Amino acid sequence: MHAPQAVAEAVRSREMVRCAGEDGVLWQVVPAAAASSRITLIASGGPDTGQEHLLKALADSLELGWREAEAASDLTRELAHAWDRLSFFYELTQVAGDLSSPPDLFRATARLLHQVVDAEDVFLASEREAGWTAQTASGLRLNLPKEIVQPLREAARPLSLAELPSIEDPEWLGFGLRDLLVAPIYMESDFYGVVGLLNPPEGRFDSNDLQLLAAVADQVGALAELALSRQSRESRLRFEHELAIAAEIQESLLPVELPDLAGVEIAAFLRLASRVGGDFYDIARTRDDDIMLLLTDVAGKGVPAALLTSLVHATFQGESAHHTDPADLLEVMNQLLFADLDKAASFVTGIVGRLSTNPLRFEYASAGHVEAALWLAGENRLEFLPATGFPLGIEKNARFETQRRKLHPGDVLLLYSDGVTESEAPDGKVLGKQGLADIMHAVHPAHASDQLRTYVDALDVHRQEAPLRDDVALLLVRALEVDSEPQMVVPFVLAAEMAHASRLVDPTRMLVKELELPQDAGRQLADGFALALTEVVTNQMEHAYAGGPGRIQGRLVLDRNSLTAHLYDYGIAFDAGETSPKNAIDPSDPPERGYGMRLARALTDELIYERLDGGRNHWCLRKYLSGEHRHED
């Protein structure tokens, strides 16, 4: 049975129609009421019995059921899709917790994202030395063209293929490019990377893909920050652990105690600019019971320098028992250390010395080290001992020369690293050899430990608040004075700041207590001398340094007959000559406001001023002791 042509046209046009067909058959076409309905019913039969209404109700019911089923199917698909994407973000967060670097995170993200998005491939890229290199889900190596990266950097939002300029190299993928969606990855507000989707199975990427990609970019940026932070923290902790071990090793290499040698005092000090460094001192005994001294400076800082100091220590300790001539010892050390120093592209400056008695003498050889300082007490002058060869590690067969010096009572030998003379003040001025010489002149003949403490104080005062730029190593030997007049010496260094003007009061009182005077007499002597000292120091700060930065150094001396103070500064001269500065002061005729100097003169038996070479002022204050109060043995 064939339907009339009118029925076919009614189905196509979705119109209701009733028509008669062949053999008296009646045809009816009834669509559902909804304009967007897909349901149309066709019926044929005998004479009209009112089935039109029945067909209409049936078509509407079928349409409603169809729509509900279709909606349920769409909802199921959307829920499944949302669940997949939620699972993706959860799994990415879990995986990221075990990753230590952004490249690892990018690889994991590409793999996981490919499982939940309809795309031929997924990539994440960041800039390396070779350019923008991508991690892909497929494992394909991808170098992103500038036509992708630059527009994305400028737009700062996701872009589709239509929004990008034409790519010059169409084969950059290795396969055809149908569609592309890319989003920028930001880390700490800076453009860091790109995440992209390549070629959907059909058609183009849609708004859902765009939203997902934007969310992925945000998540990856946050996780990359955490990865870098964790990597930095782990690296820092690892480095701190290595530093702690190196510092312990380096500290263990220092002599536990300094040896005794008849006729001398020995003191040593080491301060590193960081937790570990290249400066180092060492001491060893020879078979003849002499003492071998070593002070070195390994080029470099940190753990590598600390490791090299351990090699220097081991070599020195092992060879000093067999080679007591300083030059011979340095030559052997150079040959044994050369390969390691050459491999590390480093070198070592150092000085090796031998202390011997009967008579007391010092033999030394220096491998390119800073000049050692020898204070000659009998001549009241300083001699610098030059290097006698190249640093270790420069020439494998380098030769060295041994120099010899006799040590007389009161002489002071100072071995030091360049961190001493190159110590910088905030204005960039270094202490220098002259500054070191001035300190040695000011602090003798104090005990070795007191002298060494004053050197350290002087460096701190010179630097003021500036950080320590280089390691500081000091090794001091003082030849004892035999059958000399007994005396007590307290060396000191003061910053030229008014807050420090009274710092000599307590040392003065300490010395006066040694006299065992009656309480009133002792207090009167100590307070009077301390007041005179404070006035002179104040005068140095206000006039010699004009209230600016500076250093005052010197010593307090108590002997049988007197209590004496020597003070040295680098300020303007205290004279009234024609060439003197405008604010110069004549100490013998102070201005109206200079009553402090008159008071200082009244409280002392001697108040002497002199201008020394090198632009220094020297003040000497002395109070003589009465016969019954003289210091006894």
Side-chain angles (χ1 to χ4, degrees):
M1 184 171 55
H2 299 283
Q5 182 66 29
V7 172
E9 292 177 358
V11 170
R12 283 196 299 270
S13 63
R14 292 184 44 77
E15 295 179 354
M16 183 181 298
V17 72
R18 178 188 304 166
C19 66
E22 299 176 1
D23 301 327
V25 176
L26 183 65
W27 291 84
Q28 288 185 313
V29 178
V30 181
S36 60
S37 173
R38 306 177 189 178
I39 304 298
T40 299
L41 296 183
I42 305 171
S44 64
D48 184 13
T49 56
Q51 64 178 358
E52 177 182 339
H53 298 290
L54 178 61
L55 290 175
K56 179 67 173 171
L58 182 58
D60 289 342
S61 298
L62 289 174
E63 173 64 19
L64 180 60
W66 179 277
R67 286 185 174 275
E68 289 178 351
E70 190 177 55
S73 177
D74 291 342
L75 179 59
T76 301
R77 285 195 299 270
E78 287 298 324
L79 286 175
H81 199 46
W83 178 259
D84 288 342
R85 296 183 176 190
L86 182 61
S87 299
F88 158 75
F89 284 110
Y90 174 77
E91 188 171 353
L92 177 61
T93 304
Q94 295 298 107
V95 171
D98 298 325
L99 302 178
S100 59
S101 67
D104 293 337
L105 174 65
F106 280 15
R107 280 190 291 270
T109 303
R111 176 178 53 82
L112 292 173
L113 183 56
H114 197 221
Q115 297 174 4
V116 299
V117 70
D118 291 330
E120 187 171 349
D121 210 345
V122 173
F123 68 86
L124 288 94
S126 60
E127 191 170 21
R128 303 289 184 86
E129 293 182 1
W132 282 82
T133 304
Q135 308 288 340
T136 63
S138 63
L140 177 71
R141 179 178 177 82
L142 213 58
N143 295 315
L144 293 191
K146 62 180 181 299
E147 292 89 350
I148 292 178
V149 176
Q150 190 58 35
L152 194 62
R153 186 194 298 270
E154 295 173 356
R157 63 176 179 81
L159 297 177
S160 64
L161 181 62
E163 297 176 288
L164 295 171
S166 60
I167 298 174
E168 293 181 1
D169 179 12
E171 302 300 326
W172 66 280
L173 281 176
F175 52 84
L177 178 61
R178 298 190 307 276
D179 196 15
L180 171 70
L181 196 61
V182 289
I185 298 173
Y186 285 90
M187 191 164 61
E188 296 181 349
S189 301
D190 292 328
F191 181 70
Y192 179 75
V194 177
V195 57
L197 305 179
L198 290 167
N199 294 347
E202 298 178 359
R204 299 290 181 180
F205 291 114
D206 57 24
S207 59
N208 289 329
D209 298 316
L210 181 65
Q211 292 176 1
L212 173 63
L213 200 64
V216 170
D218 290 342
Q219 183 77 352
V220 170
L223 293 175
E225 287 185 21
L226 290 176
L228 283 179
S229 175
R230 180 166 58 249
Q231 189 178 40
S232 175
R233 183 170 61 253
E234 291 173 354
S235 177
R236 185 173 62 253
L237 291 175
R238 183 167 57 252
F239 181 66
E240 287 291 330
H241 181 63
E242 292 174 355
L243 279 183
I245 294 175
E248 290 179 5
I249 293 174
Q250 194 167 29
E251 185 176 357
S252 69
L253 300 180
L254 297 175
V256 177
E257 59 182 6
L258 300 177
D260 293 326
L261 186 67
V264 298
E265 291 179 329
I266 303 176
F269 176 83
L270 176 65
R271 177 185 289 170
L272 303 177
S274 57
R275 293 184 62 180
V276 293
D279 283 14
F280 179 71
Y281 68 85
D282 206 354
I283 296 176
R285 284 275 190 182
T286 70
R287 294 175 179 176
D288 299 329
D289 213 29
D290 291 341
I291 291 177
M292 300 297 292
L293 306 174
L294 171 71
L295 192 141
T296 65
D297 184 354
V298 177
K301 299 183 183 300
V303 175
L307 294 176
L308 288 175
T309 62
S310 66
L311 291 177
V312 175
H313 162 78
T315 307
F316 172 74
Q317 288 291 333
E319 297 300 324
S320 59
H322 309 291
H323 304 276
T324 56
D325 180 82
D328 292 343
L329 180 54
L330 276 181
E331 290 172 8
V332 172
M333 290 178 64
N334 181 57
Q335 292 174 358
L336 294 175
L337 293 168
F338 186 85
D340 291 308
L341 292 173
D342 184 58
K343 185 184 301 182
S346 184
F347 63 88
V348 177
T349 69
I351 182 170
V352 168
R354 179 182 181 183
L355 280 176
S356 306
T357 57
N358 297 322
L360 184 61
R361 64 187 184 276
F362 174 68
E363 302 173 354
Y364 84 94
S366 173
H369 199 66
V370 292
E371 296 179 327
L374 178 60
W375 174 258
L376 302 173
E379 303 176 34
N380 199 38
R381 70 178 181 88
L382 184 65
E383 177 184 354
F384 284 98
L385 309 180
T388 65
F390 291 117
L392 306 183
I394 301 298
E395 291 186 4
K396 186 174 182 179
N397 297 314
R399 308 293 295 178
F400 299 90
E401 179 185 351
T402 295
Q403 297 284 333
R404 294 170 175 83
R405 297 288 189 278
K406 287 186 177 180
L407 295 181
H408 301 92
D411 288 353
V412 176
L413 172 69
L414 181 65
L415 312 183
Y416 59 93
S417 62
D418 57 6
V420 174
T421 49
E422 295 178 6
S423 175
E424 286 189 25
D427 61 2
K429 182 179 180 180
V430 299
L431 181 70
K433 290 168 59 178
Q434 184 59 55
L436 179 64
D438 293 341
I439 299 170
M440 294 192 77
H441 177 268
V443 302
H444 82 284
H447 290 298
S449 58
D450 291 332
Q451 290 194 39
L452 197 68
R453 172 187 51 79
T454 309
Y455 289 127
V456 176
D457 291 345
L459 292 176
D460 291 341
V461 171
H462 177 76
R463 288 199 332 274
Q464 298 177 47
E465 299 299 324
L468 187 65
R469 298 183 181 275
D470 199 1
D471 302 339
V472 170
L474 296 160
L475 187 56
L476 186 144
V477 178
R478 172 177 175 257
L480 297 177
E481 298 176 280
V482 182
D483 300 328
S484 61
E485 190 75 14
Q487 59 181 1
M488 295 184 64
V489 182
V490 179
F492 60 84
V493 174
L494 305 175
E497 302 171 2
M498 293 306 298
H500 297 163
S502 61
R503 283 188 56 186
L504 298 180
V505 173
D506 288 342
T508 300
R509 290 173 176 171
M510 180 197 71
L511 284 178
V512 171
K513 282 184 178 180
E514 297 295 322
L515 296 173
E516 298 182 356
L517 297 173
Q519 184 174 0
D520 290 344
R523 185 187 309 111
Q524 182 178 359
L525 174 62
D527 291 349
F529 196 79
L531 179 57
L533 268 177
T534 302
E535 293 298 334
V536 173
V537 168
T538 300
N539 199 50
Q540 289 175 290
M541 294 177 179
E542 289 184 342
H543 301 296
Y545 288 118
R551 188 176 75 248
I552 300 171
Q553 56 209 18
R555 61 189 179 273
L556 301 175
V557 182
L558 177 65
D559 58 27
R560 290 175 177 271
N561 301 310
S562 63
L563 175 61
T564 306
H566 294 275
L567 302 106
Y568 302 86
D569 67 63
Y570 301 90
I572 61 176
F574 285 83
D575 60 42
E578 294 181 0
T579 60
S580 64
K582 293 182 180 180
N583 60 339
I585 295 175
D586 184 348
S588 63
D589 185 23
E592 292 184 3
R593 295 181 60 190
Y595 292 112
M597 295 303 296
R598 295 179 180 176
L599 178 61
R601 186 176 296 280
L603 292 171
T604 57
D605 296 318
E606 292 182 4
L607 179 59
I608 303 170
Y609 165 77
E610 59 178 336
R611 183 69 172 179
L612 303 178
D613 293 338
R616 295 174 296 149
N617 297 317
H618 172 219
W619 292 87
C620 176
L621 293 77
R622 182 171 288 114
K623 184 70 175 178
Y624 289 105
L625 307 176
S626 62
E628 60 186 26
H629 294 149
R630 287 179 183 173
H631 185 64
E632 301 297 334
D633 292 343

